[in-house]
Amino acid sequence: MDADRRSAKRKKFTYYMLVLDANTLQLIGYLTQISEVGIQVDSEKPISVNENFKLRVDLTPEIANKTMMVFNGRSKWCQPDRLEPNSFNVGFEVTLLSRDDAVIYNRMIEKYASDRSW
């Protein structure tokens, strides 16, 4: 099952979008990749693996009629960024989305994700 989830096609995220811890409102990082099952975030600090989070993403009017989306995620991996030594790449599995938020999440992929490699 995990191998299937990991093989989900990831796309670069082309919009500058913050990811916050919804409980503390502390910045976790910036969304850099997205797939149907998870997100990658660039963070200034390492994130513990296999930890559950309530994640918050502020939304644009182009994709939703509400200002933010809160969903459950689990940190799956964390590694130093290859190009920026003071930054970390963190993978989160999206573990719970409401039906309405799943529509918004898919709209985020359609609107702001790109197959283009940089």
Side-chain angles (χ1 to χ4, degrees):
M1 171 98 163
D2 284 335
D4 291 337
R5 293 181 72 79
R6 183 67 175 108
S7 66
K9 177 106 172 101
R10 291 183 286 168
K11 297 181 177 190
K12 297 270 185 203
F13 204 70
T14 61
Y15 188 84
Y16 185 77
M17 197 169 272
L18 301 175
V19 179
L20 304 173
D21 181 315
N23 293 324
T24 65
L25 298 182
Q26 294 293 310
L27 176 67
I28 292 176
Y30 305 92
L31 200 150
T32 57
Q33 291 186 16
I34 193 166
S35 76
E36 294 84 16
V37 297
I39 60 175
Q40 178 180 311
V41 173
D42 283 355
S43 178
E44 293 181 357
K45 60 184 178 192
I47 303 291
S48 300
V49 176
N50 293 322
E51 190 174 332
N52 292 317
F53 288 84
K54 198 166 275 298
L55 302 171
R56 172 183 160 168
V57 174
D58 291 339
L59 302 170
T60 66
E62 296 175 319
I63 58 173
N65 60 359
K66 61 182 189 175
T67 59
M68 74 178 105
M69 177 173 64
V70 175
F71 56 94
N72 292 349
R74 183 169 183 79
S75 56
K76 299 301 280 184
W77 54 270
C78 179
Q79 62 190 30
D81 187 277
R82 292 185 310 215
L83 301 176
E84 295 186 36
N86 295 327
S87 185
F88 295 86
N89 306 132
V90 185
F92 288 93
E93 176 184 15
V94 176
T95 57
L96 183 62
L97 273 174
S98 71
R99 184 171 287 146
D100 291 340
D101 285 347
V103 171
I104 295 169
Y105 185 86
N106 287 326
R107 199 172 300 135
M108 287 170 56
I109 293 172
E110 292 169 15
K111 186 83 174 158
Y112 299 128
S114 172
D115 288 327
R116 188 179 80 208
S117 60
W118 296 332

